[in-house]
mmCIF file of all heavy atoms in Angstrom:
data_model
loop_
_atom_site.group_PDB
_atom_site.id
_atom_site.type_symbol
_atom_site.label_atom_id
_atom_site.label_comp_id
_atom_site.label_asym_id
_atom_site.label_seq_id
_atom_site.Cartn_x
_atom_site.Cartn_y
_atom_site.Cartn_z
ATOM 1 N N THR A 18 -9.846 3.650 -28.021
ATOM 2 C CA THR A 18 -10.133 5.080 -27.941
ATOM 3 C C THR A 18 -9.114 5.694 -26.996
ATOM 4 O O THR A 18 -8.317 4.995 -26.365
ATOM 5 C CB THR A 18 -11.564 5.348 -27.439
ATOM 6 O OG1 THR A 18 -11.677 4.810 -26.098
ATOM 7 C CG2 THR A 18 -12.600 4.680 -28.331
ATOM 8 N N PHE A 19 -9.142 7.006 -26.872
ATOM 9 C CA PHE A 19 -8.220 7.648 -25.949
ATOM 10 C C PHE A 19 -8.505 7.237 -24.510
ATOM 11 O O PHE A 19 -7.602 7.239 -23.673
ATOM 12 C CB PHE A 19 -8.298 9.173 -26.088
ATOM 13 C CG PHE A 19 -7.526 9.711 -27.257
ATOM 14 C CD1 PHE A 19 -8.188 10.286 -28.328
ATOM 15 C CD2 PHE A 19 -6.156 9.634 -27.291
ATOM 16 C CE1 PHE A 19 -7.473 10.780 -29.407
ATOM 17 C CE2 PHE A 19 -5.432 10.126 -28.366
ATOM 18 C CZ PHE A 19 -6.097 10.711 -29.429
ATOM 19 N N SER A 20 -9.757 6.889 -24.204
ATOM 20 C CA SER A 20 -10.088 6.463 -22.843
ATOM 21 C C SER A 20 -9.602 5.062 -22.538
ATOM 22 O O SER A 20 -9.715 4.599 -21.400
ATOM 23 C CB SER A 20 -11.609 6.542 -22.628
ATOM 24 O OG SER A 20 -12.282 5.689 -23.537
ATOM 25 N N SER A 21 -9.077 4.338 -23.532
ATOM 26 C CA SER A 21 -8.557 2.991 -23.289
ATOM 27 C C SER A 21 -7.187 3.025 -22.626
ATOM 28 O O SER A 21 -6.728 1.998 -22.121
ATOM 29 C CB SER A 21 -8.458 2.215 -24.610
ATOM 30 O OG SER A 21 -9.716 2.097 -25.225
ATOM 31 N N PHE A 22 -6.540 4.173 -22.633
ATOM 32 C CA PHE A 22 -5.189 4.268 -22.105
ATOM 33 C C PHE A 22 -5.209 5.048 -20.787
ATOM 34 O O PHE A 22 -5.999 5.981 -20.622
ATOM 35 C CB PHE A 22 -4.275 4.968 -23.113
ATOM 36 C CG PHE A 22 -4.305 4.354 -24.481
ATOM 37 C CD1 PHE A 22 -5.117 4.877 -25.475
ATOM 38 C CD2 PHE A 22 -3.547 3.234 -24.765
ATOM 39 C CE1 PHE A 22 -5.158 4.312 -26.739
ATOM 40 C CE2 PHE A 22 -3.573 2.657 -26.013
ATOM 41 C CZ PHE A 22 -4.379 3.196 -27.000
ATOM 42 N N PRO A 23 -4.362 4.678 -19.840
ATOM 43 C CA PRO A 23 -4.343 5.395 -18.559
ATOM 44 C C PRO A 23 -3.828 6.819 -18.733
ATOM 45 O O PRO A 23 -2.940 7.078 -19.543
ATOM 46 C CB PRO A 23 -3.398 4.553 -17.696
ATOM 47 C CG PRO A 23 -2.537 3.819 -18.675
ATOM 48 C CD PRO A 23 -3.400 3.561 -19.878
ATOM 49 N N ILE A 24 -4.394 7.733 -17.957
ATOM 50 C CA ILE A 24 -3.970 9.124 -18.013
ATOM 51 C C ILE A 24 -3.172 9.517 -16.778
ATOM 52 O O ILE A 24 -2.589 10.597 -16.742
ATOM 53 C CB ILE A 24 -5.182 10.066 -18.156
ATOM 54 C CG1 ILE A 24 -6.088 9.972 -16.924
ATOM 55 C CG2 ILE A 24 -5.961 9.749 -19.408
ATOM 56 C CD1 ILE A 24 -7.140 11.043 -16.869
ATOM 57 N N LEU A 25 -3.141 8.639 -15.766
ATOM 58 C CA LEU A 25 -2.437 8.965 -14.530
ATOM 59 C C LEU A 25 -1.957 7.674 -13.881
ATOM 60 O O LEU A 25 -2.707 6.695 -13.819
ATOM 61 C CB LEU A 25 -3.356 9.736 -13.572
ATOM 62 C CG LEU A 25 -2.765 10.108 -12.202
ATOM 63 C CD1 LEU A 25 -1.637 11.111 -12.378
ATOM 64 C CD2 LEU A 25 -3.854 10.676 -11.293
ATOM 65 N N GLY A 26 -0.727 7.669 -13.426
ATOM 66 C CA GLY A 26 -0.186 6.523 -12.705
ATOM 67 C C GLY A 26 0.224 6.931 -11.300
ATOM 68 O O GLY A 26 0.836 7.978 -11.092
ATOM 69 N N VAL A 27 -0.136 6.124 -10.320
ATOM 70 C CA VAL A 27 0.174 6.382 -8.916
ATOM 71 C C VAL A 27 0.971 5.202 -8.387
ATOM 72 O O VAL A 27 0.510 4.058 -8.467
ATOM 73 C CB VAL A 27 -1.102 6.583 -8.072
ATOM 74 C CG1 VAL A 27 -0.736 6.824 -6.616
ATOM 75 C CG2 VAL A 27 -1.921 7.740 -8.610
ATOM 76 N N SER A 28 2.155 5.443 -7.862
ATOM 77 C CA SER A 28 2.989 4.386 -7.294
ATOM 78 C C SER A 28 2.853 4.383 -5.778
ATOM 79 O O SER A 28 2.829 5.447 -5.144
ATOM 80 C CB SER A 28 4.460 4.594 -7.677
ATOM 81 O OG SER A 28 4.627 4.522 -9.077
ATOM 82 N N LEU A 29 2.778 3.197 -5.206
ATOM 83 C CA LEU A 29 2.622 3.039 -3.763
ATOM 84 C C LEU A 29 3.817 2.249 -3.243
ATOM 85 O O LEU A 29 4.002 1.083 -3.606
ATOM 86 C CB LEU A 29 1.319 2.306 -3.448
ATOM 87 C CG LEU A 29 0.863 2.302 -1.992
ATOM 88 C CD1 LEU A 29 0.595 3.720 -1.519
ATOM 89 C CD2 LEU A 29 -0.386 1.455 -1.828
ATOM 90 N N THR A 30 4.656 2.875 -2.425
ATOM 91 C CA THR A 30 5.838 2.229 -1.861
ATOM 92 C C THR A 30 5.867 2.440 -0.350
ATOM 93 O O THR A 30 5.186 3.330 0.170
ATOM 94 C CB THR A 30 7.137 2.782 -2.481
ATOM 95 O OG1 THR A 30 7.228 4.186 -2.179
ATOM 96 C CG2 THR A 30 7.148 2.596 -3.992
ATOM 97 N N SER A 31 6.658 1.627 0.336
ATOM 98 C CA SER A 31 6.764 1.751 1.788
ATOM 99 C C SER A 31 8.071 1.127 2.256
ATOM 100 O O SER A 31 8.547 0.133 1.690
ATOM 101 C CB SER A 31 5.584 1.062 2.475
ATOM 102 O OG SER A 31 5.732 1.083 3.886
ATOM 103 N N ASP A 32 8.652 1.719 3.304
ATOM 104 C CA ASP A 32 9.851 1.173 3.925
ATOM 105 C C ASP A 32 9.521 0.228 5.072
ATOM 106 O O ASP A 32 10.411 -0.481 5.566
ATOM 107 C CB ASP A 32 10.743 2.304 4.453
ATOM 108 C CG ASP A 32 11.304 3.161 3.328
ATOM 109 O OD1 ASP A 32 11.557 2.602 2.245
ATOM 110 O OD2 ASP A 32 11.473 4.379 3.537
ATOM 111 N N THR A 33 8.262 0.217 5.514
ATOM 112 C CA THR A 33 7.895 -0.590 6.681
ATOM 113 C C THR A 33 6.897 -1.696 6.366
ATOM 114 O O THR A 33 6.806 -2.665 7.114
ATOM 115 C CB THR A 33 7.300 0.313 7.774
ATOM 116 O OG1 THR A 33 6.156 1.010 7.253
ATOM 117 C CG2 THR A 33 8.324 1.337 8.233
ATOM 118 N N ARG A 34 6.143 -1.591 5.270
ATOM 119 C CA ARG A 34 5.138 -2.600 4.931
ATOM 120 C C ARG A 34 5.602 -3.404 3.724
ATOM 121 O O ARG A 34 6.236 -2.848 2.815
ATOM 122 C CB ARG A 34 3.786 -1.950 4.626
ATOM 123 C CG ARG A 34 3.174 -1.245 5.826
ATOM 124 C CD ARG A 34 1.913 -0.524 5.453
ATOM 125 N NE ARG A 34 1.339 0.147 6.602
ATOM 126 C CZ ARG A 34 0.188 -0.208 7.164
ATOM 127 N NH1 ARG A 34 -0.491 -1.224 6.676
ATOM 128 N NH2 ARG A 34 -0.277 0.446 8.202
ATOM 129 N N ASP A 35 5.254 -4.696 3.708
ATOM 130 C CA ASP A 35 5.656 -5.532 2.594
ATOM 131 C C ASP A 35 4.713 -5.321 1.417
ATOM 132 O O ASP A 35 3.714 -4.605 1.504
ATOM 133 C CB ASP A 35 5.725 -7.012 2.987
ATOM 134 C CG ASP A 35 4.384 -7.536 3.487
ATOM 135 O OD1 ASP A 35 3.337 -6.960 3.130
ATOM 136 O OD2 ASP A 35 4.389 -8.537 4.234
ATOM 137 N N ILE A 36 5.026 -5.981 0.282
ATOM 138 C CA ILE A 36 4.310 -5.730 -0.959
ATOM 139 C C ILE A 36 2.871 -6.215 -0.891
ATOM 140 O O ILE A 36 1.986 -5.674 -1.562
ATOM 141 C CB ILE A 36 5.063 -6.394 -2.135
ATOM 142 C CG1 ILE A 36 4.610 -5.797 -3.471
ATOM 143 C CG2 ILE A 36 4.907 -7.887 -2.111
ATOM 144 C CD1 ILE A 36 4.970 -4.363 -3.667
ATOM 145 N N THR A 37 2.576 -7.228 -0.045
ATOM 146 C CA THR A 37 1.192 -7.707 0.073
ATOM 147 C C THR A 37 0.316 -6.686 0.792
ATOM 148 O O THR A 37 -0.844 -6.485 0.423
ATOM 149 C CB THR A 37 1.158 -9.050 0.812
ATOM 150 O OG1 THR A 37 1.758 -8.899 2.105
ATOM 151 C CG2 THR A 37 1.907 -10.113 0.034
ATOM 152 N N HIS A 38 0.859 -6.016 1.821
ATOM 153 C CA HIS A 38 0.092 -4.968 2.501
ATOM 154 C C HIS A 38 -0.155 -3.789 1.569
ATOM 155 O O HIS A 38 -1.237 -3.167 1.608
ATOM 156 C CB HIS A 38 0.830 -4.501 3.753
ATOM 157 C CG HIS A 38 0.750 -5.458 4.899
ATOM 158 N ND1 HIS A 38 1.703 -6.425 5.121
ATOM 159 C CD2 HIS A 38 -0.181 -5.613 5.877
ATOM 160 C CE1 HIS A 38 1.379 -7.120 6.192
ATOM 161 N NE2 HIS A 38 0.241 -6.665 6.670
ATOM 162 N N LEU A 39 0.816 -3.461 0.727
ATOM 163 C CA LEU A 39 0.618 -2.378 -0.229
ATOM 164 C C LEU A 39 -0.480 -2.736 -1.223
ATOM 165 O O LEU A 39 -1.309 -1.889 -1.587
ATOM 166 C CB LEU A 39 1.929 -2.085 -0.970
ATOM 167 C CG LEU A 39 3.084 -1.538 -0.134
ATOM 168 C CD1 LEU A 39 4.293 -1.295 -1.018
ATOM 169 C CD2 LEU A 39 2.683 -0.256 0.585
ATOM 170 N N TRP A 40 -0.494 -4.002 -1.686
ATOM 171 C CA TRP A 40 -1.532 -4.433 -2.622
ATOM 172 C C TRP A 40 -2.907 -4.351 -1.975
ATOM 173 O O TRP A 40 -3.874 -3.895 -2.601
ATOM 174 C CB TRP A 40 -1.261 -5.861 -3.081
ATOM 175 C CG TRP A 40 -2.225 -6.349 -4.119
ATOM 176 C CD1 TRP A 40 -2.111 -6.230 -5.470
ATOM 177 C CD2 TRP A 40 -3.472 -7.017 -3.886
ATOM 178 N NE1 TRP A 40 -3.201 -6.774 -6.097
ATOM 179 C CE2 TRP A 40 -4.063 -7.273 -5.150
ATOM 180 C CE3 TRP A 40 -4.147 -7.422 -2.743
ATOM 181 C CZ2 TRP A 40 -5.283 -7.907 -5.290
ATOM 182 C CZ3 TRP A 40 -5.369 -8.057 -2.875
ATOM 183 C CH2 TRP A 40 -5.924 -8.301 -4.138
ATOM 184 N N GLU A 41 -3.040 -4.780 -0.724
ATOM 185 C CA GLU A 41 -4.331 -4.710 -0.031
ATOM 186 C C GLU A 41 -4.777 -3.265 0.150
ATOM 187 O O GLU A 41 -5.966 -2.956 0.007
ATOM 188 C CB GLU A 41 -4.229 -5.423 1.310
ATOM 189 C CG GLU A 41 -4.063 -6.933 1.195
ATOM 190 C CD GLU A 41 -3.848 -7.581 2.543
ATOM 191 O OE1 GLU A 41 -3.548 -6.852 3.516
ATOM 192 O OE2 GLU A 41 -3.978 -8.819 2.637
ATOM 193 N N THR A 42 -3.842 -2.378 0.457
ATOM 194 C CA THR A 42 -4.197 -0.962 0.598
ATOM 195 C C THR A 42 -4.692 -0.388 -0.718
ATOM 196 O O THR A 42 -5.685 0.351 -0.768
ATOM 197 C CB THR A 42 -2.986 -0.164 1.109
ATOM 198 O OG1 THR A 42 -2.564 -0.685 2.371
ATOM 199 C CG2 THR A 42 -3.338 1.313 1.269
ATOM 200 N N ALA A 43 -3.978 -0.724 -1.811
ATOM 201 C CA ALA A 43 -4.389 -0.213 -3.123
ATOM 202 C C ALA A 43 -5.726 -0.804 -3.552
ATOM 203 O O ALA A 43 -6.573 -0.103 -4.113
ATOM 204 C CB ALA A 43 -3.309 -0.530 -4.161
ATOM 205 N N ARG A 44 -5.944 -2.103 -3.296
ATOM 206 C CA ARG A 44 -7.140 -2.787 -3.778
ATOM 207 C C ARG A 44 -8.388 -2.401 -2.987
ATOM 208 O O ARG A 44 -9.451 -2.160 -3.563
ATOM 209 C CB ARG A 44 -6.924 -4.306 -3.714
ATOM 210 C CG ARG A 44 -8.164 -5.142 -4.052
ATOM 211 C CD ARG A 44 -8.561 -4.917 -5.499
ATOM 212 N NE ARG A 44 -9.716 -5.711 -5.842
ATOM 213 C CZ ARG A 44 -10.982 -5.366 -5.614
ATOM 214 N NH1 ARG A 44 -11.224 -4.195 -5.030
ATOM 215 N NH2 ARG A 44 -11.970 -6.136 -5.973
ATOM 216 N N TYR A 45 -8.279 -2.328 -1.678
ATOM 217 C CA TYR A 45 -9.462 -2.166 -0.848
ATOM 218 C C TYR A 45 -9.645 -0.758 -0.296
ATOM 219 O O TYR A 45 -10.700 -0.459 0.268
ATOM 220 C CB TYR A 45 -9.426 -3.160 0.324
ATOM 221 C CG TYR A 45 -9.368 -4.595 -0.126
ATOM 222 C CD1 TYR A 45 -8.233 -5.368 0.065
ATOM 223 C CD2 TYR A 45 -10.452 -5.185 -0.775
ATOM 224 C CE1 TYR A 45 -8.172 -6.679 -0.361
ATOM 225 C CE2 TYR A 45 -10.404 -6.499 -1.209
ATOM 226 C CZ TYR A 45 -9.255 -7.229 -0.999
ATOM 227 O OH TYR A 45 -9.213 -8.532 -1.430
ATOM 228 N N ASN A 46 -8.640 0.099 -0.432
ATOM 229 C CA ASN A 46 -8.758 1.444 0.107
ATOM 230 C C ASN A 46 -8.680 2.507 -0.987
ATOM 231 O O ASN A 46 -9.583 3.336 -1.139
ATOM 232 C CB ASN A 46 -7.661 1.689 1.148
ATOM 233 C CG ASN A 46 -7.867 2.978 1.926
ATOM 234 O OD1 ASN A 46 -8.780 3.736 1.659
ATOM 235 N ND2 ASN A 46 -7.013 3.217 2.904
ATOM 236 N N LEU A 47 -7.593 2.469 -1.786
ATOM 237 C CA LEU A 47 -7.397 3.519 -2.780
ATOM 238 C C LEU A 47 -8.274 3.340 -4.006
ATOM 239 O O LEU A 47 -8.851 4.309 -4.512
ATOM 240 C CB LEU A 47 -5.925 3.565 -3.197
ATOM 241 C CG LEU A 47 -4.922 3.901 -2.086
ATOM 242 C CD1 LEU A 47 -3.518 3.933 -2.646
ATOM 243 C CD2 LEU A 47 -5.265 5.236 -1.440
ATOM 244 N N LYS A 48 -8.389 2.118 -4.527
ATOM 245 C CA LYS A 48 -9.159 1.901 -5.753
ATOM 246 C C LYS A 48 -10.613 2.338 -5.627
ATOM 247 O O LYS A 48 -11.123 3.047 -6.506
ATOM 248 C CB LYS A 48 -9.063 0.440 -6.178
ATOM 249 C CG LYS A 48 -9.760 0.154 -7.498
ATOM 250 C CD LYS A 48 -9.549 -1.286 -7.946
ATOM 251 C CE LYS A 48 -10.238 -1.555 -9.279
ATOM 252 N NZ LYS A 48 -9.997 -2.941 -9.746
ATOM 253 N N PRO A 49 -11.351 1.978 -4.556
ATOM 254 C CA PRO A 49 -12.732 2.488 -4.444
ATOM 255 C C PRO A 49 -12.819 4.000 -4.391
ATOM 256 O O PRO A 49 -13.778 4.588 -4.906
ATOM 257 C CB PRO A 49 -13.224 1.841 -3.141
ATOM 258 C CG PRO A 49 -12.375 0.629 -2.959
ATOM 259 C CD PRO A 49 -11.031 1.022 -3.480
ATOM 260 N N ARG A 50 -11.835 4.649 -3.784
ATOM 261 C CA ARG A 50 -11.875 6.111 -3.711
ATOM 262 C C ARG A 50 -11.629 6.741 -5.076
ATOM 263 O O ARG A 50 -12.257 7.743 -5.435
ATOM 264 C CB ARG A 50 -10.830 6.603 -2.704
ATOM 265 C CG ARG A 50 -11.101 6.117 -1.282
ATOM 266 C CD ARG A 50 -10.239 6.817 -0.268
ATOM 267 N NE ARG A 50 -10.509 6.339 1.082
ATOM 268 C CZ ARG A 50 -10.068 6.917 2.181
ATOM 269 N NH1 ARG A 50 -9.336 8.011 2.088
ATOM 270 N NH2 ARG A 50 -10.344 6.420 3.371
ATOM 271 N N PHE A 51 -10.706 6.174 -5.849
ATOM 272 C CA PHE A 51 -10.475 6.687 -7.199
ATOM 273 C C PHE A 51 -11.721 6.496 -8.062
ATOM 274 O O PHE A 51 -12.077 7.363 -8.868
ATOM 275 C CB PHE A 51 -9.280 5.997 -7.839
ATOM 276 C CG PHE A 51 -7.954 6.478 -7.315
ATOM 277 C CD1 PHE A 51 -6.932 5.583 -7.049
ATOM 278 C CD2 PHE A 51 -7.727 7.824 -7.095
ATOM 279 C CE1 PHE A 51 -5.710 6.021 -6.574
ATOM 280 C CE2 PHE A 51 -6.507 8.276 -6.616
ATOM 281 C CZ PHE A 51 -5.487 7.369 -6.351
ATOM 282 N N LEU A 52 -12.383 5.349 -7.938
ATOM 283 C CA LEU A 52 -13.573 5.084 -8.748
ATOM 284 C C LEU A 52 -14.735 6.004 -8.390
ATOM 285 O O LEU A 52 -15.645 6.180 -9.194
ATOM 286 C CB LEU A 52 -14.002 3.622 -8.586
ATOM 287 C CG LEU A 52 -13.101 2.578 -9.257
ATOM 288 C CD1 LEU A 52 -13.531 1.170 -8.885
ATOM 289 C CD2 LEU A 52 -13.126 2.748 -10.775
ATOM 290 N N SER A 53 -14.728 6.560 -7.190
ATOM 291 C CA SER A 53 -15.807 7.478 -6.791
ATOM 292 C C SER A 53 -15.622 8.878 -7.346
ATOM 293 O O SER A 53 -16.521 9.711 -7.223
ATOM 294 C CB SER A 53 -15.897 7.538 -5.264
ATOM 295 O OG SER A 53 -14.720 8.123 -4.708
ATOM 296 N N ILE A 54 -14.477 9.162 -7.978
ATOM 297 C CA ILE A 54 -14.246 10.488 -8.558
ATOM 298 C C ILE A 54 -15.066 10.613 -9.837
ATOM 299 O O ILE A 54 -15.016 9.721 -10.691
ATOM 300 C CB ILE A 54 -12.751 10.692 -8.854
ATOM 301 C CG1 ILE A 54 -11.939 10.609 -7.566
ATOM 302 C CG2 ILE A 54 -12.515 12.032 -9.542
ATOM 303 C CD1 ILE A 54 -10.438 10.687 -7.781
ATOM 304 N N PRO A 55 -15.849 11.673 -10.021
ATOM 305 C CA PRO A 55 -16.631 11.833 -11.252
ATOM 306 C C PRO A 55 -15.744 11.818 -12.488
ATOM 307 O O PRO A 55 -14.716 12.482 -12.534
ATOM 308 C CB PRO A 55 -17.310 13.205 -11.059
ATOM 309 C CG PRO A 55 -17.333 13.419 -9.587
ATOM 310 C CD PRO A 55 -16.091 12.763 -9.050
ATOM 311 N N GLY A 56 -16.146 11.023 -13.485
ATOM 312 C CA GLY A 56 -15.415 10.928 -14.733
ATOM 313 C C GLY A 56 -14.427 9.783 -14.802
ATOM 314 O O GLY A 56 -13.948 9.462 -15.887
ATOM 315 N N VAL A 57 -14.109 9.148 -13.681
ATOM 316 C CA VAL A 57 -13.184 8.017 -13.679
ATOM 317 C C VAL A 57 -13.966 6.759 -14.031
ATOM 318 O O VAL A 57 -14.927 6.399 -13.348
ATOM 319 C CB VAL A 57 -12.499 7.855 -12.309
ATOM 320 C CG1 VAL A 57 -11.630 6.593 -12.291
ATOM 321 C CG2 VAL A 57 -11.651 9.076 -12.002
ATOM 322 N N ALA A 58 -13.558 6.085 -15.110
ATOM 323 C CA ALA A 58 -14.279 4.908 -15.584
ATOM 324 C C ALA A 58 -13.633 3.606 -15.141
ATOM 325 O O ALA A 58 -14.326 2.618 -14.893
ATOM 326 C CB ALA A 58 -14.388 4.924 -17.118
ATOM 327 N N ARG A 59 -12.320 3.568 -15.048
ATOM 328 C CA ARG A 59 -11.648 2.306 -14.728
ATOM 329 C C ARG A 59 -10.346 2.586 -14.000
ATOM 330 O O ARG A 59 -9.639 3.544 -14.321
ATOM 331 C CB ARG A 59 -11.369 1.513 -16.004
ATOM 332 C CG ARG A 59 -10.906 0.082 -15.761
ATOM 333 C CD ARG A 59 -10.725 -0.699 -17.053
ATOM 334 N NE ARG A 59 -9.493 -0.341 -17.747
ATOM 335 C CZ ARG A 59 -9.451 0.318 -18.897
ATOM 336 N NH1 ARG A 59 -10.568 0.693 -19.487
ATOM 337 N NH2 ARG A 59 -8.301 0.600 -19.475
ATOM 338 N N VAL A 60 -10.057 1.756 -13.005
ATOM 339 C CA VAL A 60 -8.803 1.834 -12.269
ATOM 340 C C VAL A 60 -8.194 0.436 -12.278
ATOM 341 O O VAL A 60 -8.819 -0.530 -11.841
ATOM 342 C CB VAL A 60 -9.024 2.307 -10.814
ATOM 343 C CG1 VAL A 60 -7.694 2.295 -10.058
ATOM 344 C CG2 VAL A 60 -9.635 3.694 -10.788
ATOM 345 N N ASP A 61 -6.977 0.313 -12.810
ATOM 346 C CA ASP A 61 -6.301 -0.979 -12.904
ATOM 347 C C ASP A 61 -5.134 -1.019 -11.929
ATOM 348 O O ASP A 61 -4.430 -0.023 -11.734
ATOM 349 C CB ASP A 61 -5.780 -1.219 -14.328
ATOM 350 C CG ASP A 61 -6.911 -1.284 -15.346
ATOM 351 O OD1 ASP A 61 -7.991 -1.784 -14.981
ATOM 352 O OD2 ASP A 61 -6.720 -0.831 -16.479
ATOM 353 N N LEU A 62 -4.937 -2.197 -11.333
ATOM 354 C CA LEU A 62 -3.803 -2.423 -10.448
ATOM 355 C C LEU A 62 -2.716 -3.174 -11.216
ATOM 356 O O LEU A 62 -3.002 -4.202 -11.849
ATOM 357 C CB LEU A 62 -4.226 -3.238 -9.226
ATOM 358 C CG LEU A 62 -5.190 -2.569 -8.251
ATOM 359 C CD1 LEU A 62 -5.446 -3.495 -7.070
ATOM 360 C CD2 LEU A 62 -4.647 -1.249 -7.760
#
């Protein structure tokens, strides 16, 4: 269905943190906040 495809992509980059810290920030901080938005069904990393 149309809801099977992502409608928005967010890139997370940093000059001071390595890629593992960025993954932890996206997984444990940003993803729960995106899922709390009304109408958001799935957030993939």
